[in-house]
Amino acid sequence: MRVIVVGAGVVGTLHAWHAVERGHQVVQIEREAEARGASLRNFGQIWVSGRAGGEELHTALRARELWESIGARVPALGFRANGSLTLVRDERERAVAEAALARDDAAARGYELLTADQAREVNPALRGEFTGALWCERDAAVEPRTAQLALRKALLASGSYTFLPGREVREVIGERAVRDDHGEVHTGDAVVLCTGAALGGLVRELAPDLPVRRVRLQMMQTDPLGEPLTTSVADADSFRYYPAYRSPALDELAAVQAQTPTAAAYKMQLLMVQRRDGGLTIGDTHAYEHPFAFDVLEDPYDHLAEVVASFLGRPLPKIRRRWAGVYAQCVDTTRVVHRQQVRDGVWLVTGPGGRGMTCSPVIAETTANELGW
C-alpha cells in the first residue's frame, strides 16, 4: 500500500510512522520546509493527569505507552517519564486534589496527594510557597521542537518513506490523489490530510461545515534554570481547565476564589516543563474569539513569571523566547479528534486541541486500524 500524508506536524508524522511500521510506502508532503505550527509550539507534555475519564483517558494512557516504546527506539525524542506535580496553596485547592484522588480511575493515572515536604523530595527545585501537590506518575514529556525531526530521521532510514517539503497541496484529484503547488500529482491507496490549524482553502472546500475551531495561546521559554526540574509542574488554575478535576469541590473553589484578574482575562493556567538544555517552557493563555491578536501581550508573561518564582522560591531565569501559537480544537471538546472521510480514499484528521502532542500516536493508530492498513 502507498499512503500519502499531507502535513508534517506531530499528527501527520505519527500517521506516517504507523503506516511505515505496518509495511507500507509513505509520501509525506509539507507546505513549509519543516512543520512550524502547534506541534512545535507546545510543552511536549504527554499529559494524562487532567484527561476526562473514559475514552479520552484510555487514549492518553495508550498514547503514553506508545510514546515510551517509540522513545526507546528513537532516543532523540527525549522521552522521559517525569510525572507531574500540581501545586496547591490552601484548603480549597487541596479539596479539589482530594476529589481527584477519589476518582475510580485515580490509580490508572498514578495520582497521589503529597505534602509540601514530600513534593520537594520529588522535585527539590520547588523551594517556594505551597502546601501540597497532586502527583501524577503517568505524565511524561518529549522535546516538541525536535520530535518531528527525530521521527523523520528514523522514517527515512526505513527506506519506505519520502518527505517532500515546501509543497502546498492545492487539490484532491478524483480518488486517492492530490496535486501540489508545483503541479505534481501524488497518487496512493489512501490520502490522510493532517493540516493542523489550517482550516481554510482546500480544507474548507472539502469539509465546509467542519466542527472545529481555532484556539490561540501564548508561551515562553527561559534560559537554563541551573538545576534539574525533575517533574512537570502545574498550578491549581489548571484544575479549572481540565475535565478530570470537575467536582463539587471545584465548583466551590470557582464560586468563592476567583483567579487573578490577569489569569481570568486570558484564561490562564501554569504549566511548566524543563527542556533538555535546562530551560523552562512555561505557559499558557487561551483565546477563542476571532480575529486573534497579532501581537503578544506582556501581562500574561508577568503573571506566569510571578507564579513560577513563588513556587521556585527564586527569580525566574531570563526569558529567552516568547511566542504565540494556534491549534485546532473540536467544538465538542469531549471529542478527542475529528476524523472525516472527505472523498473516496481521502481522510481529514484534525481538531485534537491541546491533546495533540499527547494523543497523536493513538489518533494515528486508530486511523490505521479504521482504514485497514
Side-chain angles (χ1 to χ4, degrees):
M1 177 181 285
R2 178 179 169 89
V3 178
I4 310 298
V5 177
V6 178
V10 69
V11 173
T13 301
L14 266 298
H15 276 81
W17 177 273
H18 278 285
V20 168
E21 285 289 286
R22 297 180 185 210
H24 306 309
Q25 296 289 319
V26 173
V27 176
Q28 187 172 26
I29 307 170
E30 165 57 41
R31 64 180 180 174
E32 304 282 357
E34 297 288 352
R36 308 298 293 171
S39 296
L40 282 73
R41 305 181 197 194
N42 68 79
F43 298 94
Q45 288 178 316
I46 316 306
W47 195 245
V48 173
S49 50
R51 301 298 173 204
E55 178 190 358
E56 185 175 335
L57 177 59
H58 295 154
T59 299
L61 287 169
R62 170 62 178 160
R64 164 66 164 75
E65 177 184 331
L66 288 174
W67 273 120
E68 185 166 15
S69 65
I70 296 170
R73 296 171 54 188
V74 186
L77 279 177
F79 176 87
R80 50 204 181 274
N82 62 337
S84 73
L85 291 170
T86 300
L87 305 180
V88 300
R89 298 181 187 271
D90 57 42
E91 287 305 311
R92 289 193 179 93
E93 292 178 354
R94 182 183 179 87
V96 180
E98 290 173 341
L101 198 67
R103 294 181 58 99
D104 292 341
D105 54 21
R109 301 170 190 265
Y111 278 164
E112 185 178 351
L113 190 56
L114 306 182
T115 67
D117 287 344
Q118 289 170 329
R120 293 186 183 103
E121 289 179 10
V122 174
N123 193 336
L126 299 172
R127 293 187 286 272
E129 295 299 320
F130 55 94
T131 62
L134 181 65
W135 162 249
C136 182
E137 180 270 338
R138 297 306 294 161
D139 286 337
V142 296
E143 292 299 298
R145 288 176 177 261
T146 55
Q148 285 77 235
L149 301 179
L151 290 168
R152 186 172 308 125
K153 184 176 180 179
L155 286 166
L156 288 167
S158 72
S160 299
Y161 171 83
T162 301
F163 180 56
L164 299 177
R167 295 169 181 252
E168 183 173 352
V169 169
R170 294 288 183 84
E171 184 181 5
V172 172
I173 303 172
E175 298 180 6
R176 303 174 179 86
V178 297
R179 177 183 288 118
D180 65 29
D181 59 359
H182 291 215
E184 188 172 349
V185 174
H186 310 274
T187 302
D189 299 290
V191 176
V192 185
L193 306 174
C194 302
T195 55
L199 304 179
L202 177 62
V203 172
R204 183 176 292 118
E205 291 175 12
L206 294 170
D209 299 316
L210 192 65
V212 174
R213 64 179 178 178
R214 301 169 80 234
V215 180
R216 184 181 186 268
L217 55 81
Q218 285 186 201
M219 294 175 60
M220 61 183 177
Q221 188 168 330
T222 73
D223 277 347
L225 180 63
E227 63 181 314
L229 187 78
T230 57
T231 72
S232 298
V233 175
D235 71 353
D237 278 346
S238 67
F239 289 152
R240 304 169 189 261
Y241 291 100
Y242 285 103
Y245 304 124
R246 291 171 187 160
S247 66
L250 179 60
D251 295 340
E252 181 178 352
L253 174 70
V256 303
Q257 189 168 308
Q259 291 181 279
T260 68
T262 299
Y266 297 104
K267 301 177 176 61
M268 296 183 69
Q269 60 181 337
L270 168 69
L271 297 176
M272 178 168 61
V273 183
Q274 189 171 45
R275 302 272 64 94
R276 289 198 294 182
D277 70 355
L280 304 175
T281 299
I282 301 171
D284 60 350
T285 66
H286 300 86
Y288 303 98
E289 301 299 325
H290 291 249
F292 293 141
F294 60 83
D295 43 12
V296 295
L297 302 174
E298 284 300 304
D299 285 353
Y301 293 118
D302 291 343
H303 168 79
L304 290 169
E306 181 179 346
V307 174
V308 172
S310 73
F311 289 150
L312 294 177
R314 54 175 284 190
L316 192 66
K318 179 182 176 181
I319 297 173
R320 180 192 301 172
R321 303 185 181 98
R322 308 172 191 263
W323 66 89
V326 178
Y327 60 73
Q329 179 188 61
C330 290
V331 174
D332 177 359
T333 57
T334 65
R335 298 180 59 200
V336 172
V337 74
H338 179 76
R339 186 181 291 102
Q340 178 181 350
Q341 186 172 5
V342 293
R343 294 287 188 275
D344 287 345
V346 181
W347 292 78
L348 173 65
V349 183
T350 187
R355 310 176 185 93
M357 202 70 186
T358 297
C359 294
S360 52
V362 177
I363 291 169
E365 181 181 55
T366 302
T367 302
N369 290 342
E370 290 187 359
L371 273 60
W373 293 359

